[in-house]
Amino acid sequence: MRDILLVRFGEVHLKGLNRPQFLRALTERVRHAARPFGGHVWLDDGRIYISDMDDARACAERVSQVFGIHSVSQAVEMGKDDFEAVLRQAVHMTRGMTGSFKVKARRADKRYPLDSPAICQLAGRRILEANQDLRVDVKHPEHVLEIEIRGNATLHIGRIEGVGGMPMGTNGKACLLLSGGIDSPVAGYMVARRGVTLMAVHFHSFPYTSERARAKVIELARILSRTCGRIELYIAPFTDIQMRVHEKCPGAYGTLIMRRQMMRVAERVARRRGGQAMVTGESIGQVASQTMEALGCTDDACGLSIFRPLIGFDKSEIIARAEAIGTFATSSLPYEDCCTVFMPRHPVTHPRLERVQEAELLLGDALEGLIEASAQGAERVVLCDGRIAEGGEQPQ
């Protein structure tokens, strides 16, 4: 008999012939998460197990944040052949409990002589005989004792819910346009949760944006890296482009034209680092540059697919998610970003693409060089597991 963690996963079951690849990736991520706790991790018969942990509760909490994990339980593993011993363990685990309970059994080993209803009946009866303070409630119990019969028997009470999603790195790589606001970190988290590896680009307009704003964005990327894994953050200089847009283009079109140049710079950085798509935190109608027409004008400037996971969210929903993933407090710090510099008083809300393209021609032949200089001059900061990686390399 030994204490273990029983780790369940969800969508990986649906992957057909690709399932082994997803399971290997998921098991490796769980192994990485459990390593600080000294845990031994293995995959067997549709479950991931962890043993030999220094702190089982802390390990379970950490593993529950791995993308692809459905839930984690602290469990007891023991031999299944002596069912009387299994019943004694069930009684031991429920000793001192009060209120309502039920037993839930899963017999994955179909050769086992007792089926699931029989296991539930026998265990429930023995528990009631030993504990007069408990009563059975199969619909809304306060406590659920779960017994699984696979290679061995495992027993546990309670679950830590996982974040779900798909294993990290199984669905390509995307470039997040990471501002200092509330929305973009949430958008990055949601895409990463679907198995996408993240890189990020932030635009810094020194001296109009401060070093505190730069530090704020690095901190947001650091927080994301605790769950999203290794993130390469590129801080691109944007002052020259922004000043040229401000000087040459009609004020009402300034923000939209600026965003088109952001897309062009970020696309160059992304393609050079293997990025296959862009991710933004835009929500339709939230600001002037996020109307349907304005989003279409932004899309026109980018040759990669653009993912907008927050497109139908309202602000309160986005804030709730930011609080849940731990980025809200940092995003709320009052340090300006480049999107607030030279903000027009009356930005165009329903632009026509041809008018935007005409206004953009005023930037002249110098634009190409400015875009390339911004992409080439981007500072690279690597973050992993909630730390800044020294020398731009992933910590071991």
Side-chain angles (χ1 to χ4, degrees):
M1 183 186 300
R2 61 176 175 174
D3 294 328
I4 63 168
L5 294 183
L6 189 157
V7 184
R8 305 171 191 83
F9 42 86
E11 289 184 64
V12 175
H13 286 297
L14 306 176
K15 292 302 172 182
L17 296 177
N18 292 324
R19 184 179 174 190
Q21 170 194 344
F22 282 81
L23 285 177
R24 283 194 297 270
L26 182 58
T27 304
E28 186 55 37
R29 291 308 306 168
V30 171
R31 186 171 288 115
H32 181 78
R35 190 172 295 140
F37 307 96
H40 170 61
V41 179
W42 73 99
L43 172 69
D44 184 47
D45 195 22
R47 293 284 189 268
I48 296 173
Y49 300 94
I50 309 174
S51 65
D52 306 319
M53 301 141 289
D54 298 333
D55 186 334
R57 181 68 185 186
C59 186
E61 292 282 358
R62 181 68 186 91
V63 169
S64 72
Q65 297 303 303
V66 172
F67 293 138
I69 297 306
H70 185 266
S71 62
V72 183
S73 295
Q74 292 180 248
V76 171
E77 181 187 49
M78 59 190 302
K80 63 184 177 182
D81 295 333
D82 185 355
F83 192 68
E84 182 62 29
V86 173
L87 292 177
R88 288 196 299 269
Q89 180 62 26
V91 170
H92 174 74
M93 292 175 68
T94 55
R95 184 170 291 132
M97 285 184 175
T98 61
S100 61
F101 85 104
K102 78 171 183 178
V103 177
K104 183 178 179 181
R106 180 181 178 87
R107 185 190 62 157
D109 179 3
K110 301 306 180 184
R111 298 170 298 177
Y112 198 67
L114 297 172
D115 61 15
S116 295
I119 294 171
C120 290
Q121 183 180 25
L122 292 170
R125 179 184 301 160
R126 185 67 64 86
I127 290 168
L128 284 174
E129 290 172 352
N131 190 345
Q132 300 299 313
D133 294 324
L134 283 174
R135 68 182 189 280
V136 174
D137 183 345
V138 297
K139 291 186 177 180
H140 304 290
E142 297 172 67
H143 313 285
V144 179
L145 170 68
E146 298 191 50
I147 303 174
E148 289 196 7
I149 305 295
R150 294 177 182 270
N152 286 309
T154 58
L155 299 86
H156 61 87
I157 298 172
R159 300 183 176 200
I160 299 173
E161 295 301 319
V163 295
M166 298 298 300
M168 185 186 305
T170 56
N171 280 318
K173 185 176 184 179
C175 178
L176 170 67
L177 269 67
L178 183 61
S179 72
I182 296 170
D183 303 343
S184 58
V186 178
Y189 178 92
M190 291 177 66
V191 170
R193 183 174 172 269
R194 300 306 304 161
V196 175
T197 299
L198 288 182
M199 59 178 291
V201 173
H202 173 72
F203 295 95
H204 188 57
S205 293
F206 183 82
Y208 300 102
T209 52
S210 67
E211 284 302 306
R212 292 184 302 178
R214 174 185 173 278
K216 173 183 174 181
V217 168
I218 294 174
E219 175 63 11
L220 286 172
R222 187 193 68 79
I223 294 170
L224 285 177
S225 76
R226 293 192 301 220
T227 50
C228 300
R230 186 175 188 268
I231 297 175
E232 293 183 4
L233 169 64
Y234 292 86
I235 303 174
F238 200 62
T239 307
D240 291 345
I241 293 176
Q242 202 157 17
M243 289 299 297
R244 192 164 185 86
V245 171
H246 177 65
E247 293 169 358
K248 300 292 185 180
C249 298
Y253 289 90
T255 299
L256 183 54
I257 293 174
M258 179 188 71
R259 290 191 66 80
R260 284 167 60 88
Q261 311 325 309
M262 287 181 173
M263 282 293 181
R264 290 180 170 124
V265 172
E267 180 181 354
R268 293 195 185 193
V269 177
R271 288 186 184 276
R272 291 165 185 172
R273 301 301 300 178
Q276 300 161 281
M278 310 294 289
V279 181
T280 76
E282 292 160 317
S283 171
I284 194 164
Q286 185 172 167
V287 295
S289 63
Q290 295 177 23
T291 63
M292 190 172 294
E293 295 91 337
L295 293 175
C297 291
T298 301
D299 290 352
D300 173 73
C302 184
L304 292 175
S305 297
I306 302 175
F307 297 157
R308 296 184 172 99
L310 307 184
I311 196 68
F313 283 49
D314 62 34
K315 199 66 177 183
S316 62
E317 292 172 313
I318 298 171
I319 289 172
R321 298 217 175 194
E323 290 174 333
I325 67 175
T327 57
F328 179 73
T330 301
S331 292
S332 299
L333 294 174
Y335 306 143
E336 72 288 345
D337 60 39
C338 69
C339 291
T340 62
V341 179
F342 307 127
M343 180 71 71
R345 180 172 296 181
H346 300 293
V348 61
T349 56
H350 301 287
R352 292 166 52 191
L353 178 58
E354 58 269 25
R355 295 292 299 275
V356 175
Q357 291 170 331
E358 289 173 5
E360 198 171 65
L361 290 175
L362 298 173
L363 297 173
D365 295 338
L367 178 60
E368 170 62 26
L370 292 174
I371 291 172
E372 181 61 21
S374 180
Q376 290 281 4
E379 173 193 1
R380 179 173 177 262
V381 181
V382 181
L383 306 107
C384 184
D385 294 335
R387 314 191 297 276
I388 296 178
E390 296 181 6
E393 296 299 327
Q394 182 176 359
Q396 298 301 311

